[in-house]
Amino acid sequence: GNSVTQMEGPVTLSEEAFLTINCTYTATGYPSLFWYVQYPGEGLQLLLKATKADDKGSNKGFEATYRKETTSFHLEKGSVQVSDSAVYFCASSGTYKYIFGTGTRLKVLA
Amino acid sequence: DTAVSQTPKYLVTQMGNDKSIKCEQNLGHDTMYWYKQDSKKFLKIMFSYNNKELIINETVPNRFSPKSPDKAHLNLHINSLELGDSAVYFCASSQEAIPHEQYFGPGTRLTVT
């Protein structure tokens, strides 16, 4: 069946460091791919998405490219801020549901 | 305007009790969901409804019973609560059966003592 695997956290970085959170997927067909962010005490918010191969999603300085050949959708940001501290979820779309990764906690230190 | 709302935000109750969580969306979406998030932040789909009809039931114990009185509401009733039911429950909605975006509610933290 479909699955999403993302790197385990926590990831701890200093402010202005470069961020990569790895995500790979398995799927039949060509799902849409997403990154969601969950700030403490809140629900999930869509951060970015890509609906087909080679699409790049971007938002708030974060980027991810849909790579069909490596079945990956890695999240990157060039310079993280303390306010980026949160849990990040990679997900793929299935019929009537998402398949979520296990989440990666990011902590950014000032 | 809140897109997806849930009540209550916090729920503390004793084992064996019955409780309900309510969810409403004002986005005009056709599909609604319930997720359970455990203490390690792992998210698990529980139910999916499309146009008030149950589409997905992911091997959830039958103590959990979702009810959708209309497209905008999806409530979750839990009978005979157990310690292992303690978690954060999220409601979500989307426009399409293969969602390009899901909108999540703020969550309900259920604590069973």
Side-chain angles (χ1 to χ4, degrees), chain B residues 24-35:
Chain B
E24 176 181 1
Q25 55 95 2
N26 62 6
L27 298 167
H29 288 166
D30 293 331
T31 309
M32 296 185 72
Y33 313 80
W34 277 109
Y35 289 88

Side-chain angles (χ1 to χ4, degrees), chain A residues 75-95:
Chain A
L75 182 68
E76 296 181 336
K77 186 175 186 183
S79 176
V80 293
Q81 305 300 311
V82 172
S83 57
D84 294 327
S85 297
V87 180
Y88 292 82
F89 292 90
C90 184
S92 71
S93 60
T95 305

